[in-house]
PDB file of all heavy atoms in Angstrom:
ATOM      1  N   PHE T  27      33.657  66.951-109.425  1.00  0.00           N
ATOM      2  CA  PHE T  27      33.275  65.991-108.387  1.00  0.00           C
ATOM      3  C   PHE T  27      31.778  65.674-108.442  1.00  0.00           C
ATOM      4  O   PHE T  27      31.384  64.525-108.240  1.00  0.00           O
ATOM      5  CB  PHE T  27      33.668  66.503-106.998  1.00  0.00           C
ATOM      6  CG  PHE T  27      33.528  65.446-105.950  1.00  0.00           C
ATOM      7  CD1 PHE T  27      34.386  64.351-105.930  1.00  0.00           C
ATOM      8  CD2 PHE T  27      32.532  65.517-104.996  1.00  0.00           C
ATOM      9  CE1 PHE T  27      34.259  63.352-104.977  1.00  0.00           C
ATOM     10  CE2 PHE T  27      32.390  64.532-104.031  1.00  0.00           C
ATOM     11  CZ  PHE T  27      33.257  63.444-104.021  1.00  0.00           C
ATOM     12  N   ARG T  28      30.958  66.662-108.739  1.00  0.00           N
ATOM     13  CA  ARG T  28      29.513  66.407-108.872  1.00  0.00           C
ATOM     14  C   ARG T  28      29.264  65.393-109.996  1.00  0.00           C
ATOM     15  O   ARG T  28      28.466  64.469-109.850  1.00  0.00           O
ATOM     16  CB  ARG T  28      28.755  67.702-109.150  1.00  0.00           C
ATOM     17  CG  ARG T  28      27.241  67.465-109.302  1.00  0.00           C
ATOM     18  CD  ARG T  28      26.469  68.748-109.490  1.00  0.00           C
ATOM     19  NE  ARG T  28      26.418  69.474-108.238  1.00  0.00           N
ATOM     20  CZ  ARG T  28      26.874  70.716-108.062  1.00  0.00           C
ATOM     21  NH1 ARG T  28      27.400  71.380-109.073  1.00  0.00           N
ATOM     22  NH2 ARG T  28      26.793  71.304-106.895  1.00  0.00           N
ATOM     23  N   ALA T  29      29.963  65.557-111.112  1.00  0.00           N
ATOM     24  CA  ALA T  29      29.795  64.622-112.231  1.00  0.00           C
ATOM     25  C   ALA T  29      30.246  63.219-111.840  1.00  0.00           C
ATOM     26  O   ALA T  29      29.558  62.235-112.127  1.00  0.00           O
ATOM     27  CB  ALA T  29      30.578  65.121-113.448  1.00  0.00           C
ATOM     28  N   HIS T  30      31.388  63.108-111.163  1.00  0.00           N
ATOM     29  CA  HIS T  30      31.895  61.801-110.763  1.00  0.00           C
ATOM     30  C   HIS T  30      30.975  61.145-109.739  1.00  0.00           C
ATOM     31  O   HIS T  30      30.744  59.928-109.800  1.00  0.00           O
ATOM     32  CB  HIS T  30      33.312  61.920-110.216  1.00  0.00           C
ATOM     33  CG  HIS T  30      34.324  62.223-111.263  1.00  0.00           C
ATOM     34  ND1 HIS T  30      35.672  62.292-111.012  1.00  0.00           N
ATOM     35  CD2 HIS T  30      34.201  62.481-112.594  1.00  0.00           C
ATOM     36  CE1 HIS T  30      36.322  62.572-112.118  1.00  0.00           C
ATOM     37  NE2 HIS T  30      35.447  62.704-113.094  1.00  0.00           N
ATOM     38  N   ALA T  31      30.451  61.923-108.803  1.00  0.00           N
ATOM     39  CA  ALA T  31      29.517  61.375-107.808  1.00  0.00           C
ATOM     40  C   ALA T  31      28.249  60.876-108.500  1.00  0.00           C
ATOM     41  O   ALA T  31      27.721  59.814-108.159  1.00  0.00           O
ATOM     42  CB  ALA T  31      29.189  62.422-106.750  1.00  0.00           C
ATOM     43  N   GLY T  32      27.765  61.633-109.487  1.00  0.00           N
ATOM     44  CA  GLY T  32      26.582  61.209-110.242  1.00  0.00           C
ATOM     45  C   GLY T  32      26.832  59.920-111.007  1.00  0.00           C
ATOM     46  O   GLY T  32      26.000  59.015-111.004  1.00  0.00           O
ATOM     47  N   GLU T  33      28.006  59.826-111.652  1.00  0.00           N
ATOM     48  CA  GLU T  33      28.356  58.611-112.399  1.00  0.00           C
ATOM     49  C   GLU T  33      28.479  57.401-111.479  1.00  0.00           C
ATOM     50  O   GLU T  33      28.227  56.269-111.892  1.00  0.00           O
ATOM     51  CB  GLU T  33      29.680  58.823-113.155  1.00  0.00           C
ATOM     52  CG  GLU T  33      29.570  59.791-114.316  1.00  0.00           C
ATOM     53  CD  GLU T  33      30.923  60.236-114.846  1.00  0.00           C
ATOM     54  OE1 GLU T  33      31.957  59.670-114.415  1.00  0.00           O
ATOM     55  OE2 GLU T  33      30.950  61.154-115.682  1.00  0.00           O
ATOM     56  N   ALA T  34      28.854  57.650-110.222  1.00  0.00           N
ATOM     57  CA  ALA T  34      29.000  56.565-109.246  1.00  0.00           C
ATOM     58  C   ALA T  34      27.673  56.194-108.591  1.00  0.00           C
ATOM     59  O   ALA T  34      27.633  55.340-107.724  1.00  0.00           O
ATOM     60  CB  ALA T  34      30.017  56.964-108.175  1.00  0.00           C
ATOM     61  N   GLY T  35      26.580  56.863-109.009  1.00  0.00           N
ATOM     62  CA  GLY T  35      25.267  56.558-108.456  1.00  0.00           C
ATOM     63  C   GLY T  35      25.022  57.157-107.092  1.00  0.00           C
ATOM     64  O   GLY T  35      24.184  56.671-106.332  1.00  0.00           O
ATOM     65  N   LEU T  36      25.738  58.229-106.764  1.00  0.00           N
ATOM     66  CA  LEU T  36      25.607  58.836-105.442  1.00  0.00           C
ATOM     67  C   LEU T  36      24.716  60.080-105.422  1.00  0.00           C
ATOM     68  O   LEU T  36      24.715  60.815-104.437  1.00  0.00           O
ATOM     69  CB  LEU T  36      26.995  59.182-104.877  1.00  0.00           C
ATOM     70  CG  LEU T  36      27.926  57.989-104.652  1.00  0.00           C
ATOM     71  CD1 LEU T  36      29.276  58.450-104.141  1.00  0.00           C
ATOM     72  CD2 LEU T  36      27.298  56.985-103.712  1.00  0.00           C
ATOM     73  N   ASP T  37      23.955  60.306-106.501  1.00  0.00           N
ATOM     74  CA  ASP T  37      23.001  61.421-106.503  1.00  0.00           C
ATOM     75  C   ASP T  37      22.078  61.269-105.310  1.00  0.00           C
ATOM     76  O   ASP T  37      21.570  60.180-105.036  1.00  0.00           O
ATOM     77  CB  ASP T  37      22.167  61.434-107.789  1.00  0.00           C
ATOM     78  CG  ASP T  37      22.947  61.956-108.980  1.00  0.00           C
ATOM     79  OD1 ASP T  37      23.918  62.703-108.771  1.00  0.00           O
ATOM     80  OD2 ASP T  37      22.582  61.604-110.113  1.00  0.00           O
ATOM     81  N   GLY T  38      21.869  62.341-104.587  1.00  0.00           N
ATOM     82  CA  GLY T  38      21.010  62.311-103.413  1.00  0.00           C
ATOM     83  C   GLY T  38      21.739  61.891-102.150  1.00  0.00           C
ATOM     84  O   GLY T  38      21.276  62.158-101.052  1.00  0.00           O
ATOM     85  N   LEU T  39      22.888  61.226-102.301  1.00  0.00           N
ATOM     86  CA  LEU T  39      23.678  60.833-101.137  1.00  0.00           C
ATOM     87  C   LEU T  39      24.824  61.795-100.866  1.00  0.00           C
ATOM     88  O   LEU T  39      25.351  61.845 -99.757  1.00  0.00           O
ATOM     89  CB  LEU T  39      24.246  59.419-101.336  1.00  0.00           C
ATOM     90  CG  LEU T  39      23.224  58.298-101.440  1.00  0.00           C
ATOM     91  CD1 LEU T  39      23.918  56.978-101.738  1.00  0.00           C
ATOM     92  CD2 LEU T  39      22.412  58.208-100.155  1.00  0.00           C
ATOM     93  N   VAL T  40      25.237  62.529-101.901  1.00  0.00           N
ATOM     94  CA  VAL T  40      26.336  63.476-101.783  1.00  0.00           C
ATOM     95  C   VAL T  40      25.883  64.820-102.331  1.00  0.00           C
ATOM     96  O   VAL T  40      25.320  64.888-103.424  1.00  0.00           O
ATOM     97  CB  VAL T  40      27.585  62.991-102.564  1.00  0.00           C
ATOM     98  CG1 VAL T  40      28.700  64.014-102.485  1.00  0.00           C
ATOM     99  CG2 VAL T  40      28.054  61.643-102.043  1.00  0.00           C
ATOM    100  N   GLU T  41      26.118  65.872-101.564  1.00  0.00           N
ATOM    101  CA  GLU T  41      25.853  67.232-102.038  1.00  0.00           C
ATOM    102  C   GLU T  41      27.182  67.956-102.175  1.00  0.00           C
ATOM    103  O   GLU T  41      28.038  67.866-101.285  1.00  0.00           O
ATOM    104  CB  GLU T  41      24.933  67.966-101.067  1.00  0.00           C
ATOM    105  CG  GLU T  41      23.527  67.409-101.108  1.00  0.00           C
ATOM    106  CD  GLU T  41      22.566  68.149-100.193  1.00  0.00           C
ATOM    107  OE1 GLU T  41      22.971  69.144 -99.553  1.00  0.00           O
ATOM    108  OE2 GLU T  41      21.411  67.713-100.119  1.00  0.00           O
ATOM    109  N   VAL T  42      27.353  68.643-103.288  1.00  0.00           N
ATOM    110  CA  VAL T  42      28.618  69.278-103.634  1.00  0.00           C
ATOM    111  C   VAL T  42      28.404  70.770-103.794  1.00  0.00           C
ATOM    112  O   VAL T  42      27.412  71.204-104.381  1.00  0.00           O
ATOM    113  CB  VAL T  42      29.189  68.673-104.940  1.00  0.00           C
ATOM    114  CG1 VAL T  42      30.583  69.214-105.221  1.00  0.00           C
ATOM    115  CG2 VAL T  42      29.203  67.158-104.878  1.00  0.00           C
ATOM    116  N   ASP T  43      29.341  71.536-103.291  1.00  0.00           N
ATOM    117  CA  ASP T  43      29.219  72.977-103.249  1.00  0.00           C
ATOM    118  C   ASP T  43      30.612  73.590-103.388  1.00  0.00           C
ATOM    119  O   ASP T  43      31.610  72.874-103.356  1.00  0.00           O
ATOM    120  CB  ASP T  43      28.623  73.340-101.882  1.00  0.00           C
ATOM    121  CG  ASP T  43      27.836  74.621-101.898  1.00  0.00           C
ATOM    122  OD1 ASP T  43      28.013  75.410-102.828  1.00  0.00           O
ATOM    123  OD2 ASP T  43      27.059  74.825-100.957  1.00  0.00           O
ATOM    124  N   SER T  44      30.692  74.927-103.496  1.00  0.00           N
ATOM    125  CA  SER T  44      31.992  75.592-103.487  1.00  0.00           C
ATOM    126  C   SER T  44      31.843  77.015-102.974  1.00  0.00           C
ATOM    127  O   SER T  44      30.737  77.577-102.946  1.00  0.00           O
ATOM    128  CB  SER T  44      32.628  75.586-104.879  1.00  0.00           C
ATOM    129  OG  SER T  44      31.906  76.408-105.778  1.00  0.00           O
ATOM    130  N   ALA T  45      32.978  77.588-102.576  1.00  0.00           N
ATOM    131  CA  ALA T  45      33.005  78.956-102.050  1.00  0.00           C
ATOM    132  C   ALA T  45      34.438  79.467-102.141  1.00  0.00           C
ATOM    133  O   ALA T  45      35.355  78.719-102.478  1.00  0.00           O
ATOM    134  CB  ALA T  45      32.509  78.989-100.603  1.00  0.00           C
ATOM    135  N   GLY T  46      34.617  80.746-101.809  1.00  0.00           N
ATOM    136  CA  GLY T  46      35.938  81.355-101.792  1.00  0.00           C
ATOM    137  C   GLY T  46      36.289  81.839-100.400  1.00  0.00           C
ATOM    138  O   GLY T  46      35.400  82.055 -99.571  1.00  0.00           O
TER     139      GLY T  46
END
Side-chain angles (χ1 to χ4, degrees):
F27 191 69
R28 180 176 287 122
H30 289 184
E33 290 167 8
L36 298 178
D37 284 336
L39 296 176
V40 177
E41 290 182 3
V42 187
D43 208 342
S44 68

